[in-house]
């Protein structure tokens, strides 16, 4: 009974953290601040919901799976966030609200403009431009 | 005691998780750059793991926690693949 109540309280707290993470992903101005909200608050919220579910279910297999999931989350999400942040920096995401100078300038290659799916490909990478036009081909 | 309000509470938690799901989905659809979309996708997987746990509370079936474990394992590989893709695209 106590475990059920404590588990539901933890799960509710975790859902609150995940909602805060969702708000941060929507409202923060650039990709790095969005990542700050999504990875930290999102991971904490998901881990709390998992812990609460384990407390409510209470069986040994539930504890095993839940603990393993939390371990995997805590081990892999920092790595994934680091790789994604490096990729976001290299792809030229804007750094809004940066306090000092850009500490990574000159260390990592960086695109001048952020990569968006809407931008057209440069002419050399356009698939139909790579092939020569059939009309220019010499007659056999 | 267990049969009465605990499934309801689990269902309410799952319903509340629809809010961050919608917020991250909005950012994934409209996020201006590739990086924003990948970050939102990463967050969506975290929401899905929490969702699996909430459904496990709602139904009392511990098997739904296995879904969360599988999602957590796949999430890392997917994030690494997206990050490498973005770096290679930036280096063109």
């Amino acid at each position: 009974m106590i475990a059920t109540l404590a588990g539901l309280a933890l799960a509710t707290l975790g859902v609150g953290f995940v909602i805060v993470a969702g708000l941060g992903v929507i409202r923060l101005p650039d990709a790095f601040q969005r990542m700050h909200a999504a990875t930290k608050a999102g991971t904490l919220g998901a881990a709390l919901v998992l812990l609460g579910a384990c407390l409510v279910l209470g069986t040994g297999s539930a504890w095993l799976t839940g603990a393993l999931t939390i371990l995997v989350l805590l081990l892999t999400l920092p790595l994934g966030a680091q790789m994604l942040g490096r990729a976001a920096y290299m792809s030229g995401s804007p750094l809004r609200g940066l306090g000092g100078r850009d500490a990574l300038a000159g260390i990592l290659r960086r695109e001048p403009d952020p990569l968006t799916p809407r931008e057209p490909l440069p002419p050399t990478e356009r698939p139909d431009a790579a092939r020569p036009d059939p009309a220019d081909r010499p007659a056999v | 005691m267990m049969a009465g309000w605990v499934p309801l509470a689990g269902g309410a938690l799952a319903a509340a998780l629809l809010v961050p799901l919608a917020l991250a989905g909005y950012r994934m659809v409209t996020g201006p750059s590739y990086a924003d979309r990948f970050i939102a996708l990463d967050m969506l997987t975290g929401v899905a793991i929490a969702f699996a746990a909430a459904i496990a509370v709602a139904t009392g079936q511990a098997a739904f926690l296995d879904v969360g474990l599988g999602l957590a394992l796949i999430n890392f590989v997917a994030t690494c693949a997206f990050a490498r893709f973005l770096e290679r695209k930036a280096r063109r």
Side-chain angles (χ1 to χ4, degrees), chain A residues 4-5 8 11 18-19 22-23 25-26 31 34-35 49 53 65 69 76 80 83 86-87 90 93 111 115-117 119, chain B residues 2 5-6 13 20 23 26-27 32-37 39 43 50 53 57 65-66 69 76 79-80 83 87 90 92:
Chain A
T4 305
L5 280 182
L8 282 180
V18 177
I19 290 177
L23 282 178
V25 166
I26 283 293
R34 284 173 197 147
M35 178 181 296
V49 177
T65 312
T69 312
T76 60
M83 292 187 71
R86 177 185 146 101
M90 287 175 73
S93 290
E111 293 287 310
L115 290 174
T116 60
E119 76 185 25
Chain B
M2 187 77 180
W5 49 273
V6 171
L13 287 180
L23 293 177
Y26 174 80
R27 178 54 73 198
S33 67
Y34 277 119
D36 294 310
R37 290 165 203 261
I39 289 161
M43 154 117 197
V57 171
L65 291 177
D66 296 339
L69 178 59
F76 177 57
T79 307
C80 289
E87 281 186 21
R92 67 177 177 208

Side-chain angles (χ1 to χ4, degrees), chain B residues 11-23:
Chain B
L13 287 180
L17 278 174
L18 289 178
V19 175
L21 198 71
L23 293 177

Side-chain angles (χ1 to χ4, degrees), chain A residues 86-140:
Chain A
R86 177 185 146 101
Y89 180 85
M90 287 175 73
S91 75
S93 290
L95 301 161
R96 300 213 176 90
L98 189 66
R101 64 182 189 89
D102 180 8
L104 281 177
I107 297 176
L108 285 181
R109 187 201 302 256
R110 180 165 160 80
E111 293 287 310
D113 298 317
L115 290 174
T116 60
R118 301 279 185 269
E119 76 185 25
L121 290 175
T124 54
E125 282 195 11
R126 207 181 287 270
D128 50 350
R131 280 194 306 273
D133 197 31
D136 296 342
R137 204 176 295 160
V140 185

Side-chain angles (χ1 to χ4, degrees), chain A residues 21 25 31-46 73-74 76-82 84-85, chain B residues 38-39 42-43 46 75 79:
Chain A
V25 166
F32 299 98
Q33 297 180 43
R34 284 173 197 147
M35 178 181 296
H36 148 78
T39 49
K40 279 181 272 191
T43 308
L44 181 60
L73 278 182
L74 292 185
T76 60
L77 272 171
L79 291 175
Q82 199 271 341
L84 211 51
Chain B
F38 293 158
I39 289 161
D42 196 26
M43 154 117 197
N75 182 25
T79 307

